[in-house]
Amino acid sequence: MQTIFNLSGKTALITGSTRGLGFAYAQGLAQAGANVILNGTRPEHMESALAQLQAQGIEAKGFLFSVADEEAIEAVFQQLDEQEIHVDIVINNAGIQFRKPMLELALSDWQRVLDVNLTSAFLVSRAAAKRMVARQRGGKIINIGSLTSEAARATVAPYTAAKGGIKLLTKSMAAEWAAFNIQTNGIGPGYILTDMNEALVENEAFNQWVCSSNPSSRWGKPEELVGTAIYLASSASDYVNGQMIYVDGGWLATL
Ligand code: GCO
């Protein structure tokens, strides 16, 4: 049992992993044996994330770059090539939220959310998959969706469009890369207690809506996403491809 979830000898790049769910995935994969590479854009967050891991005896690497910047991504992968570090697992987790009704939404804000939440997954996965294909050892790509990969809620249209795109991008990657023994799947977190959702937790009406709309009657915790990430990163999921797994307390199962 233990061995099929073991990630020893594997290297995982987790985008947007200095805080929140990304950090939880990185920590969880490291505990399952993987070497982890963190990504973020803020040096102070990177420093504290690396220090937290180090305190647990986990030596991670960290790279500061924007996941929407094609050249920066290429430069990081070239550095990894030079150090002979091969990325076996990618978690496309980086994401931002911007809440505004569409009638007031500027193109630049729409574009920014699409770039960081959707185009990033294409760019980072393309760089990683090229190398996985050349190396012929397969790989795992995990794209992070959302409940909004399936349904909308007012005020978050660009996020919803991006996360809906993530679901079908996941299937496209499965369609093109399964032949190279690369499995691409997605995780759709429900409403989880993270910094990104702080304003929603503090809004009493929203908090009540979250607690009454899902059969588990509560928000999720970041650590509750980790088992699914380990499963999709491990050989336990070698014949699972193009799927989204929603970790939402049962929200999408109910009306
Ligand atoms: C929102 C939230 C979303 C959700 C998540 C649920 O404004 O609706 O910020 O990010 O938490 O996508 O799956």
Side-chain angles (χ1 to χ4, degrees):
M1 270 309 274
Q2 211 187 341
T3 51
I4 57 173
F5 297 107
N6 189 349
L7 302 180
S8 302
K10 302 288 181 192
T11 297
L13 166 66
I14 303 100
T15 67
S17 50
T18 62
R19 298 186 295 162
L21 293 185
F23 183 77
Y25 297 132
Q27 182 173 262
L29 264 54
Q31 286 166 353
N35 301 312
V36 295
I37 304 172
L38 305 188
N39 152 258
T41 52
R42 301 221 212 138
E44 67 278 15
H45 290 160
M46 179 61 80
E47 231 170 82
S48 99
L50 290 172
Q52 279 181 68
L53 293 178
Q54 202 167 40
Q56 300 170 41
I58 297 166
E59 289 301 329
K61 282 189 183 296
F63 286 93
L64 292 168
F65 63 94
S66 161
V67 288
D69 181 339
E70 184 180 16
E71 277 176 27
I73 294 165
E74 213 28 66
V76 166
F77 274 89
Q78 272 170 25
Q79 271 189 60
L80 293 172
D81 291 345
E82 280 155 25
Q83 296 172 43
E84 290 185 32
I85 295 171
H86 307 292
V87 174
D88 305 288
I89 301 159
V90 176
I91 304 188
N92 288 303
N93 166 79
I96 54 170
Q97 181 58 285
F98 185 74
R99 303 182 182 105
K100 202 163 219 187
M102 251 188 294
L103 294 179
E104 295 156 28
L105 189 66
L107 172 61
S108 56
D109 289 322
W110 165 273
Q111 197 62 59
R112 192 166 54 91
V113 175
L114 265 291
D115 285 349
V116 176
N117 292 354
L118 178 60
T119 307
S120 60
F122 159 65
L123 292 174
V124 175
S125 301
R126 186 184 60 178
K130 271 185 191 166
R131 291 161 171 88
M132 289 171 182
V133 168
R135 200 164 162 248
Q136 300 186 333
R137 302 249 191 105
K140 300 279 183 180
I141 297 175
I142 303 169
N143 294 323
I144 305 301
S146 155
L147 293 180
T148 60
S149 298
E150 294 294 334
R153 99 174 172 82
T155 76
V156 293
Y159 185 85
T160 303
K163 294 298 191 179
I166 280 286
K167 180 170 107 172
L168 272 294
L169 178 62
T170 299
K171 293 180 195 287
S172 297
M173 290 175 180
E176 295 196 16
W177 299 340
F180 302 105
N181 192 25
I182 298 170
Q183 289 82 46
T184 309
N185 292 287
I187 299 177
Y191 279 91
I192 312 293
L193 295 166
T194 61
D195 291 354
M196 188 167 95
N197 288 333
E198 209 175 284
L200 303 180
V201 181
E202 281 165 11
N203 175 331
E204 199 32 49
F206 199 95
N207 182 42
Q208 279 201 1
W209 177 68
V210 170
C211 294
S212 62
S213 300
N214 80 84
S216 299
S217 307
R218 64 172 178 85
W219 292 75
K221 294 177 257 175
E223 58 270 28
E224 291 177 304
L225 276 301
V226 171
T228 308
I230 293 173
Y231 163 62
L232 293 177
S234 73
S235 63
S237 59
D238 279 356
Y239 198 56
V240 179
N241 217 341
Q243 300 299 312
M244 291 295 293
I245 300 181
Y246 293 94
V247 182
D248 66 352
W251 191 308
L252 289 174
T254 55
L255 278 176

